Amino acid sequence: MVSAHAEQPNGQNLDIDVKPAQIVILVDQSGSIRQEDMIREQNAASLLAQSELSTRSTVSIVGFASDSGSKPPVDVVCPPLLLTGAPERERIAQCIGGLRKRAAAEGHGTDHAEALKQAMSYLGQGSPADGPKLVFLLTDGVLDVSDSPRYGVDKTAQQRNDAAQQVIRQTLDVARDKGVQIWPLGFGKVDKNALDQFAAGGFQGSCGPSVPKPSATVVSTSEDVTGALLRSFSSGRCVGVGSVTNSQLGSGRDIEVPVTIPAIATDGSIIVVKNDSRISVEYIDPQGQPVSKSGESASGKFQASGENSAVEVLRVVNPAPGDWKVRVTSPPEVPPQNVLTAVTWQGAAQAVLHVDPPSPAVGQQVTVSLKVVLRGGKPVVRPELLQGLSFTAEMAGENVPARPITLQDNGQNPDDAADGTFTGRLTIPADAQQGVSLRGRVTGLGISAADAIANVTIAPQLPTVLATTTLPTLSSTVEPGDSLPATATISNNSGQRQRIQIGVQADGDAAITVPAEKAVHEVDPGTTTVNFDMAFGSTSPEGATTGVIRIVDAADPSRILHEKSFTVEVGYPFPWLRWIAGTALGAGLIVFALILVARRRDQEVEGLVVEAIRDGHRVSLQTAAQKAKQFRFTVDTSGPVPRLNIAEVTEPVAFVLTRSRKGLRLKTPFDGARTMQLGQEVDLGDGLTIVVLDPAYGDGQEPVSVGGGTPDDLYSPPGPQQSQDPLL
């Protein structure tokens, strides 16, 4: 039997959450801290605490300096607080104001030892598997307890520092044993070697093979603290962090800054370090709609904190993926400020592990598949979302040393397709007769570490009935209410007819069945291929859909012969036939329209030039610059040079020029009509010749300026014009 999931009978916990974290932020309050450094430490601690994603996480903030003899070296400004909602996050935003620079009389040294001891007093419970336990240490100096009586009243400064170093080593041993990671961040004149020892001395777990283990970071100025701390937070907390953007906000101005939340995120925090509580912030979803700071919409469930402080954070559950905008507005009375924006996210994930066949015999080859689904059963299949994630599996058991299983998602045997399901094979070893346990893990930045375990019982002998399937892949698209074909191959070595049953288990909200008439098959001895359908209910949501096809013994459904994962796309394929038909119709309409336009153009006289030639003189007149099917003009031959004029509608003695596909028709006022072609000279008697030209035909004729105008004037509203002989 396979026991890979314990959350729900179908293996999908629809309400999975990101794993909680236990976080302690240690903030240096020693005398060497400058006021601007203290402000940046406060802001960094605030954004880290408020942006924590789980409502089951606890956050503590502790300031530290040294023991003055009358005041302890640590100030617990924010005791461990469970971040169940907005009030708790708001409390974090406010209590951080208790961090302050110590005066000499209060003990203004740097006691890392007592700071770490205080952190460990909050982090002793639980296992790292339950969620990370993290200490973020912000400091600007080296260990200095030279004036602290805590380490010996009669001791020298060096002896006191040596005693504190011993306490640090002991505390780090405890941290390592209890799974506590330490992430130091130093600025100013720090001891980098000491910070490296803090990081290396704690627990060395990480979010995955490609994610850095705890390490120390030293920045040149406190201005770089926020970005560096977010990077450490990303590696320790396994969250994704977007670009950290610094923008200048002028007095009385507003700016919009883009932030991106990827599709893998089920939880996110949009961070704004605005430095002045009077600055207001608005959040705009990918659809361009402002969202409420408390409430729920199609873009997510929202909860803001820190609105009245220097750091504001919008916590978003089930955010709409895509490009968001942060609109920051400053009142006129607020001086110019540098505003920092960032976004953190994580996907609440569950690993799904399948073994086929579920009960193999020693020496039998089995196929192992591992995939990850997000809250609500949403599979992760897009390659860009899987980048940086690690899919691993191993086999172990009583008397069976742990051995890794190579997994791949490249569409090469044994993997069916690059669809987010990683597949591998192994052979059950001879020393696994007592059973084996297979464990799959999906880890990496931006995802809550997901584990799945399959406990495999070893069959005493090779099963007499074996099965395999050929299933549709992610390249297959099915409409809700439609079906996809699949094939099962049954190898029956029992010597008698067997009855098998095919079923399907869908992930998430998909409604997928194998129709009853194709679910049960009688299988004769030998190899039999059966075809069946995977029917998708009309309510199946669109998008990538995953599930498992399972073949069982119909007489004993608990006896699983075969199970295999599948991933398909539910949606409406592009309507190629309608598109082709529509395109053809559209093209036909366009051609028809072009024919009509061309036909009408053939009937229009717009743009033509009428020329009159007499006694060697040539004058021109452009037709009216408007769409018209006739052009009326007169010719005055009373002088040596003919004159062309546009005729009024009431002019009884006028030439009328019309046009058709066959050519031109010129109706004269004295002897009927003449047919002619463009460029053809027509003799009208009395030494007068008329020719009509179309400059668009490239016949070498340039548009002629009439009435003393310029070429641009040819397109002016028509009116009575006087032709001119270019020789006069």
Side-chain angles (χ1 to χ4, degrees), residues 159-510:
Q159 288 173 329
R160 287 173 174 173
N161 284 337
D162 290 344
Q165 289 283 9
Q166 179 62 28
V167 173
I168 289 174
R169 286 190 290 269
Q170 294 171 350
T171 305
L172 291 176
D173 289 341
V174 175
R176 184 172 54 253
D177 293 341
K178 293 187 177 297
V180 177
Q181 299 181 34
I182 300 173
W183 294 84
L185 174 58
F187 56 96
K189 296 180 180 180
V190 297
D191 184 347
K192 178 64 164 59
N193 291 331
L195 297 188
D196 288 335
Q197 291 175 13
F198 291 156
F203 181 61
Q204 295 301 293
S206 75
C207 296
S210 61
V211 181
K213 293 181 179 180
S215 60
T217 303
V218 175
V219 295
S220 57
T221 68
S222 61
E223 294 179 357
D224 302 319
V225 165
T226 301
L229 187 59
L230 278 172
R231 288 190 292 272
S232 295
F233 181 64
S234 173
S235 296
R237 186 64 180 94
C238 308
V239 300
V241 176
S243 299
V244 178
T245 303
N246 285 285
S247 307
Q248 188 67 27
L249 176 64
S251 299
R253 306 296 295 272
D254 66 75
I255 57 174
E256 282 190 357
V257 184
V259 296
T260 301
I261 300 180
I264 200 172
T266 62
D267 299 80
S269 291
I270 301 176
I271 302 164
V272 183
V273 181
K274 53 189 183 180
N275 296 308
D276 193 307
S277 61
R278 292 171 292 178
I279 293 174
S280 63
V281 183
E282 188 177 25
Y283 306 91
I284 302 168
D285 68 16
Q287 287 70 46
Q289 298 300 315
V291 301
S292 169
K293 292 188 180 182
S294 176
E296 190 169 358
S297 72
S299 297
K301 184 177 181 181
F302 308 102
Q303 191 180 86
S305 61
E307 292 181 80
N308 298 317
S309 67
V311 179
E312 181 176 328
V313 175
L314 182 70
R315 168 95 163 83
V316 191
V317 178
N318 298 327
D323 295 328
W324 292 63
K325 290 182 180 179
V326 179
R327 182 179 295 145
V328 189
T329 303
S330 173
E333 66 272 15
V334 175
Q337 298 284 339
N338 184 66
V339 175
L340 179 146
T341 54
V343 62
T344 64
W345 72 84
Q346 195 172 64
Q350 179 184 26
V352 181
L353 181 68
H354 289 287
V355 181
D356 180 52
S359 298
V362 168
Q364 187 174 1
Q365 194 174 65
V366 299
T367 301
V368 179
S369 66
L370 179 66
K371 62 185 177 183
V372 65
V373 295
L374 303 175
R375 180 185 297 134
K378 178 183 177 182
V380 183
V381 300
R382 287 166 48 188
E384 65 270 24
L385 298 179
L386 295 169
Q387 288 182 1
L389 298 186
S390 174
F391 289 72
T392 60
E394 68 174 17
M395 176 185 65
E398 187 177 351
N399 300 321
V400 179
R403 62 189 69 181
I405 304 167
T406 301
L407 303 177
Q408 60 187 18
D409 180 34
N410 55 9
Q412 299 181 12
N413 191 39
D415 189 62
D416 286 339
D419 57 4
T421 298
F422 286 71
T423 309
R425 284 207 176 111
L426 77 154
T427 300
I428 300 299
D431 51 3
Q433 297 179 3
Q434 302 302 315
V436 293
S437 176
L438 302 181
R439 181 184 183 186
R441 294 203 79 197
V442 183
T443 57
L445 295 182
I447 195 168
S448 185
D451 296 275
I453 296 177
N455 295 314
V456 179
T457 301
I458 304 302
Q461 58 185 9
L462 189 69
T464 57
V465 180
L466 302 173
T468 61
T469 52
T470 301
L471 306 178
T473 64
L474 186 58
S475 61
S476 304
T477 300
V478 58
E479 296 185 23
D482 207 347
S483 300
L484 287 175
T487 302
T489 301
I490 315 299
S491 179
N492 180 5
N493 300 310
S494 66
Q496 56 187 354
R497 174 174 289 187
Q498 297 288 335
R499 195 163 179 254
I500 59 99
Q501 182 173 343
I502 305 172
V504 59
Q505 173 183 295
D507 298 333
D509 297 327

Side-chain angles (χ1 to χ4, degrees), residues 28-49:
D28 195 334
Q29 300 181 125
S30 62
S32 59
I33 289 286
R34 298 178 303 169
Q35 183 58 34
E36 56 267 35
D37 295 340
M38 175 55 68
I39 291 174
R40 289 192 173 94
E41 282 191 314
Q42 288 176 326
N43 291 345
S46 181
L47 73 86
L48 208 65

Side-chain angles (χ1 to χ4, degrees), residues 616-680:
H617 299 287
R618 180 188 293 263
V619 294
S620 303
L621 177 66
Q622 173 131 2
T623 60
Q626 59 184 8
K627 292 180 171 61
K629 292 187 178 181
Q630 66 175 6
F631 176 62
R632 298 168 59 85
F633 65 95
T634 61
V635 182
D636 183 357
T637 58
S638 59
V641 178
R643 293 183 179 275
L644 292 173
N645 295 286
I646 296 175
E648 299 290 344
V649 176
T650 57
E651 175 65 53
V653 183
F655 292 81
V656 180
L657 178 67
T658 59
R659 189 179 186 182
S660 70
R661 299 183 68 186
K662 294 181 179 180
L664 303 173
R665 185 173 184 269
L666 181 64
K667 182 180 178 181
T668 69
F670 41 84
D671 64 351
R674 305 286 184 91
T675 59
M676 56 193 298
Q677 301 296 323
L678 288 171
Q680 179 184 354

Side-chain angles (χ1 to χ4, degrees), residues 102-172:
R102 288 274 193 100
E106 298 175 299
H108 64 166
T110 307
D111 193 343
H112 297 130
E114 284 299 310
L116 290 172
K117 281 177 60 179
Q118 186 68 44
M120 288 306 305
S121 71
Y122 297 146
L123 301 175
Q125 303 300 316
S127 163
D130 301 325
K133 295 190 284 186
L134 307 168
V135 174
F136 295 97
L137 171 64
L138 283 65
T139 182
D140 81 327
V142 298
L143 175 71
D144 180 12
V145 293
S146 57
D147 61 350
S148 175
R150 180 177 297 264
Y151 296 99
V153 176
D154 300 324
K155 301 293 185 180
T156 65
Q158 184 60 50
Q159 288 173 329
R160 287 173 174 173
N161 284 337
D162 290 344
Q165 289 283 9
Q166 179 62 28
V167 173
I168 289 174
R169 286 190 290 269
Q170 294 171 350
T171 305
L172 291 176

